[in-house]
Amino acid sequence: MQAEHERTKQRQTLAALTSTACQHRPLTPPAVKPQPAQPPSPGPLDPNPEWPMKRPWAAIALDNLWDSALDVGRHWARALVPLPCGKNAMSNLVTLDNGRLSFVKRKPVILLLGSGWGAHSLMKVVDTDTYDIVVISPRNYFVFTPMLPSTAVGTVEFRSLLEPVRTSNPFVSYFEASCESLDLAHKSAHCTAARDAEDGTRPSFEVPYDLAVVAVGEVPATFGIPGVGEHCFFLKEVTDAVALRRKIGRNFELAALPGTSEEDRRRLLHFVVVGGGPTGTEFAGTLADYLTEDLKERFPEIISLVQVTLMQSAQSILTQFDARLGARALDSLTRSGIVVRTGVRVVEVTGKQVVLQGGERIDCGVVVWSTGNSPRPLVSALVSSIPAQSMLHKLSGGRPGTEKLAVDPFMRVVGAEGLMALGDNSWLLGQRLPATAQVAGQQGSYIAHLVNAGYTVGRGGLDQPPPCRVTQAWLGSRSESRSELRSGSRSGSEFGSTDSSHWLDEFVAVLGGKEKVELEQQVGIRGSDRDGGAGGGCTPGSLEFYGRPFEFLSLGLMAYIGEGRAINQVEVFDLSVKLYGGLAFLLWRSVYITKQVSFRNRVLILFDWLKTKVFGRDLSLF
């Protein structure tokens, strides 16, 4: 009965933890009267959901502004350094006894898996003088994904959205490969080339690391619906947008042929978009612009046969936005000639039809699928191999095919040492953040700032000490008092105590007379970590604990809905400003152009918009 009571208590605690409405307590607690006894240390599956406190918007924005200023300084300093030459990443590769290649560590190695929003944000500002940054990704570029709908119809050329990894930061070591597995015990990544060699083989190699950051993202979710993977187009990668653009053009050319029947013409020119979120809605609106501004003049004889249908399983579209903005977007799409069907579910997709629940069959020529994401095999394997992750996934009601890496407020993977995760493939304990580029980008910058400050990540979990670093004073001298440790007085304004009394008590107990080796074991240091490094435990010394957990600064949401109109839900301070129409469209374009990752991309996109306005979209097929 006692065991069952404890399991019930854990489930209740986790339910409160994963609720987005949970309350938090301050990071640095106010002065209180001394308690006669300290509360018991919580277990790994009994975390305290009231930490950290959600600070005011202005306070988070001010911290982020300061971080951005530091990032600008780092960029300018890097620009003055000559580009690396002579020794490169290949010089760090050696052949092991088993014939596999391995990356030799010359400095602490941060292994970065992925090249999306979070990974790109991290590699832009991470300190490459202190660490060797090894990037593993089958995609050798970053892509500005929010503008993929514009690329799919030719409003913007796809290369204008890209920045090669080797250009993002020429001081990182990049390998075009996929990480097949992570050996968490030995801190080694097993990687395989992303492309076949001329003889059909794929070279493989190993990368030892001190800290690994999983930022591989996710893939489009098909939910096991027959035909989705084979017959639908997605908007996740540049290759998806290029294939979709080619398919739209070919369908129009085929429908314009004299020998094509009217029935086939109607089917070829029926475009179905499944998913009424921002991506699906933006593509439907952008496609409507393409039809009225360009294709209507080029294909006047068949334009009347074109139909665009937007399908949504919920009873409304754009459910992330305010209900009134969603209603206005629905009205705008309808006036643009788009058929919006809500409350419908797709149960099968064939080469020529979409089958709805209830048996209705809809003839169509193109199906665009934008209904959510599912995990990559690497993430699923990590969740299943880490006991704490498996338990959290199970207790949170997760189903197979929905795995994400649970991270603590410092973005450390719960139950693993020297492992962090960010972006779509992670979920932050205590709150479910939206799977957006805005979140992933801020998380990447946060991790970079943490490791740049010299903090050791350690083991993830709400029952674990925060990331820490050592000062010059020797901890064995016992000159630090219990009150100094608890108050975080040695940490300055940016770093402080996290009110985790249970593990501070353990550190104080260690100071009472344990030997150096036992102290090293207490703080989680291994022999290979004694020279420091981002992923190991803290070496003995005067400890400073990182007192700034990740805080998401929401700047709002925006979506383009066609005909030069957009909807914006801008969050400033504690206000939510809602905009609709032409002014919202100007703000949408302004934000997208300023959020580009380089001056080159901004210039290219501005010229693309100008070319489209003056000359129209290019209809060439190749």
Side-chain angles (χ1 to χ4, degrees), residues 136-138 175-180 190-197 201-205:
I136 303 294
S137 175
F175 298 100
E176 189 182 48
S178 298
C179 178
E180 303 297 333
H190 305 276
C191 307
T192 304
R195 306 175 190 272
D196 292 334
T201 62
R202 292 198 175 191
S204 60
F205 57 94

Side-chain angles (χ1 to χ4, degrees), residues 587-614:
L587 180 60
W588 176 82
R589 279 204 161 179
S590 300
V591 170
Y592 274 28
I593 200 67
T594 56
K595 295 297 288 184
Q596 296 300 314
V597 296
S598 69
F599 178 73
R600 165 189 172 274
N601 292 87
R602 295 186 187 98
V603 172
L604 290 177
I605 289 176
L606 284 173
F607 273 99
D608 287 342
W609 283 341
L610 180 61
K611 287 190 303 180
T612 299
K613 190 67 175 179
V614 176

Side-chain angles (χ1 to χ4, degrees), residues 456-479:
T456 299
V457 171
R459 189 175 185 84
L462 296 186
D463 63 330
Q464 298 296 321
C468 57
R469 65 181 179 183
V470 295
T471 61
Q472 297 299 322
W474 177 248
L475 188 61
S477 66
R478 303 182 181 90
S479 61

Side-chain angles (χ1 to χ4, degrees), residues 120-187:
H120 181 269
S121 178
L122 193 158
M123 76 176 75
K124 275 280 195 179
V125 299
V126 72
D127 184 0
T128 52
D129 294 329
T130 305
Y131 304 102
D132 270 332
I133 312 301
V134 181
V135 180
I136 303 294
S137 175
R139 190 183 72 186
N140 74 340
Y141 56 85
F142 162 82
V143 55
F144 193 87
T145 50
M147 296 191 72
L148 285 179
S150 298
T151 304
V153 299
T155 306
V156 175
E157 293 301 323
F158 69 91
R159 289 195 180 274
S160 301
L161 307 182
L162 309 182
E163 183 178 66
V165 170
R166 300 180 188 274
T167 303
S168 301
N169 188 341
F171 296 93
V172 306
S173 300
Y174 169 73
F175 298 100
E176 189 182 48
S178 298
C179 178
E180 303 297 333
S181 63
L182 283 176
D183 186 343
L184 300 180
H186 299 91
K187 290 191 175 182

